[in-house]
Amino acid sequence: MPPILTSLLDTDAYKLHMQQAVYHRYPDAEVVAEFHSRNEEDLLPMMGQIEEQLRLAGSLRLSRAEADFLAERPFFGTDYLDHLRRKPLDASLLKVFEQDGRINVRVEGPWQDVILWEIPVLATISEMRNRFRYPQFGVTQALARLDQKIDKLERDLSPAEMDEFHLIDFGTRRRFSHAVQDAVVGRLKQRLPCFRGTSNYQLAQKYQLPAVGTQAHEWFQAHQQLGFPLALSQRAALTSWLDEFSSHLGIALTDCITMDAFLHDFDFDLASRYQGLRHDSGDPVVWGEKAISHYQRLGIDPTGKTLVFSDGLNLNKAVALFRHFRGRINTSFGIGTQLTCDLPGVTPMNIVFKLMECNGGPVAKISDSPGKTLCRDAEFVRHLKRAFHLSR
């Protein structure tokens, strides 16, 4: 079977951004990350092929053209890009095994090495499963569905609205296949002037698009075990990111320990230096209203900031949110599964790859959607809630 992944850049931008920050700031941190499926779906029949594909990914190397493409970004350091060329994916850290009748993938080792495995694991499992379950589907069906959506969007949005509506592809992790995501991004660039970029660095290079992404939950989670007082760990994560990237990559993820706890830490200095916020759980309207009110309380004009929505969006939801907040704050919409795995008759997977431990201790996420909380250590979750004064 040919390899599913053919480039190190076939990954979400935030993985490379975070890896550089870890390489510079926490080179000795050790972590454990694991695959989790929220679907009751049997993947065991394809476990051997999944492992084979992930081992193949471990042989990928950064090409000179890819390295030059990354070097065009002002925030990447030469030392980090040299490191990425020397030491890409390390398959020796990877373990694929059966646990309680289900497939599991565990990656353990230095954080700067483990961090790159999330997207290869998720994209590989999603595509392998779809090959098994939906062999009759592919690019043709995906583009037919996409064209219908674009037609509707062009009818729904006025020319003035279309100029302000910012759409981004966030679909690498749970895509139907690489071929489908490639075709979708190409069609979006061809047909929609409001299409502003992709989270996938390989496709950004191919289609000459901005590569979009900053940090993920693991950045905040790991700081819970990096030597900071627990109550100061979120603030430390926010500050460390600014120290690494200064005026670049300034969208902060807000829901590792709920939006309310985030805003408590997001003081005038941080709110002034970050360009905006990303939503990934809870009611998006409530979240956005809290963000606007917070900026106003701090004396910061919200119209100079940006809200990025990325939680389970489709185009209809995105348009509704755009209209709700239009003129009050800038907005962008990162859509994943509903762009790259939306085919008639296909049920997308609901899969994640999450940090479970850092430096031998547990880490946790307490998002604004209770079902997204993930931690095996109930006592640590209670301790985290106390540290951030959470009642639930």
Side-chain angles (χ1 to χ4, degrees):
M1 181 181 294
I4 289 174
L5 302 176
T6 59
S7 169
L8 273 178
L9 295 193
D10 187 11
T11 192
D12 277 343
Y14 67 20
K15 300 310 294 190
L16 299 186
H17 303 160
M18 287 191 297
Q19 190 192 35
Q20 173 173 290
V22 174
Y23 174 71
H24 284 154
R25 299 177 178 280
Y26 309 111
D28 299 323
E30 297 278 324
V31 302
V32 176
E34 291 186 357
F35 167 78
H36 294 269
S37 175
R38 296 166 178 157
N39 302 89
E40 295 296 326
E41 190 167 344
D42 185 11
L43 302 175
L44 287 177
M46 60 198 82
M47 186 170 76
Q49 289 164 293
I50 289 171
E51 181 170 14
E52 177 186 1
Q53 286 290 335
L54 292 175
R55 300 292 173 193
L56 287 173
S59 66
L60 293 172
R61 297 293 182 269
L62 202 64
S63 72
R64 171 54 60 183
E66 290 171 336
D68 290 344
F69 175 71
L70 295 180
E72 294 170 1
R73 274 84 201 138
F75 45 80
F76 278 132
T78 302
D79 61 336
Y80 165 67
L81 295 180
D82 288 343
H83 170 76
L84 186 60
R85 282 194 293 268
R86 291 192 311 268
K87 192 176 184 184
L89 290 167
D90 185 351
S92 70
L93 308 178
L94 184 79
K95 183 180 180 183
V96 182
F97 57 100
E98 179 182 349
Q99 184 177 41
D100 300 326
R102 307 183 75 177
I103 187 174
N104 196 4
V105 182
R106 179 183 175 96
V107 187
E108 181 174 1
W111 188 16
Q112 61 181 299
D113 300 327
V114 172
I115 201 168
L116 287 189
W117 275 108
E118 176 186 2
I119 308 306
V121 167
L122 295 177
T124 295
I125 290 175
S126 183
E127 180 158 352
M128 186 63 66
R129 172 264 198 175
N130 291 329
R131 287 183 181 183
F132 270 73
R133 187 166 178 180
Y134 306 108
Q136 73 276 31
F137 292 140
V139 169
T140 300
Q141 293 83 6
L143 288 183
R145 177 65 67 89
L146 179 63
D147 281 334
Q148 293 172 357
K149 293 178 182 178
I150 294 174
D151 291 343
K152 184 177 186 301
L153 189 67
E154 290 175 334
R155 292 192 302 269
D156 290 348
L157 291 181
S158 69
E161 288 177 319
M162 188 69 81
D163 287 341
E164 298 176 29
F165 185 75
H166 290 190
L167 175 64
I168 307 164
D169 158 49
F170 273 13
T172 302
R173 294 177 300 158
R174 299 166 188 162
R175 65 194 181 195
F176 184 86
S177 66
H178 177 274
V180 164
Q181 186 183 18
D182 188 331
V184 164
V185 170
R187 185 63 58 88
L188 287 169
K189 182 181 180 183
Q190 176 189 21
R191 290 199 57 189
L192 274 183
C194 66
F195 182 54
R196 304 304 172 97
T198 173
S199 65
N200 186 294
Y201 257 117
Q202 184 189 30
L203 298 177
Q205 181 183 27
K206 178 176 180 177
Y207 291 105
Q208 298 182 321
L209 290 164
V212 181
T214 54
Q215 80 270 120
H217 297 103
E218 70 177 290
W219 178 253
F220 295 91
Q221 289 176 282
H223 280 78
Q224 297 164 10
Q225 298 290 353
L226 288 175
F228 304 100
L230 193 54
L232 300 180
S233 61
Q234 181 169 239
R235 185 183 295 271
L238 289 165
T239 302
S240 181
W241 189 264
L242 289 174
D243 290 344
E244 177 68 25
F245 293 111
S246 185
S247 60
H248 302 286
L249 306 179
I251 300 294
L253 182 63
T254 65
D255 73 325
C256 188
I257 316 173
T258 76
M259 177 62 160
D260 290 341
F262 175 88
L263 293 178
H264 182 267
D265 285 341
F266 202 56
D267 59 16
F268 178 83
D269 179 62
L270 291 172
S272 298
R273 296 175 65 192
Y274 274 94
Q275 285 102 49
L277 307 172
R278 179 163 75 90
H279 171 264
D280 200 49
S281 66
D283 186 310
V285 172
V286 172
W287 176 88
E289 294 294 346
K290 286 183 178 181
I292 291 172
S293 296
H294 187 71
Y295 282 126
Q296 291 171 335
R297 281 195 300 272
L298 294 175
I300 296 173
D301 182 1
T303 62
K305 299 297 182 179
T306 298
L307 300 182
V308 180
F309 294 88
S310 64
D311 181 33
L313 289 182
N314 56 37
L315 284 171
N316 290 335
K317 292 179 182 178
V319 168
L321 289 168
F322 164 73
R323 286 175 169 157
H324 180 86
F325 292 107
R326 188 183 183 203
R328 302 165 62 205
I329 195 166
N330 300 308
T331 53
S332 291
F333 303 93
I335 302 182
T337 305
Q338 291 298 316
L339 287 179
T340 63
C341 196
D342 184 20
L343 292 79
V346 172
T347 302
M349 299 199 77
N350 189 354
I351 51 178
V352 294
F353 187 79
K354 291 298 183 184
L355 205 67
M356 303 303 292
E357 299 176 18
C358 179
N359 288 339
V363 298
K365 180 181 86 164
I366 307 173
S367 77
D368 291 296
S369 297
K372 289 189 172 183
T373 298
L374 187 62
C375 181
R376 294 198 185 97
D377 191 323
E379 179 55 36
F380 180 75
V381 173
R382 287 191 288 270
H383 187 34
L384 189 63
K385 288 181 177 181
R386 287 195 297 270
F388 284 90
H389 308 289
L390 301 180
S391 57
R392 60 175 176 82

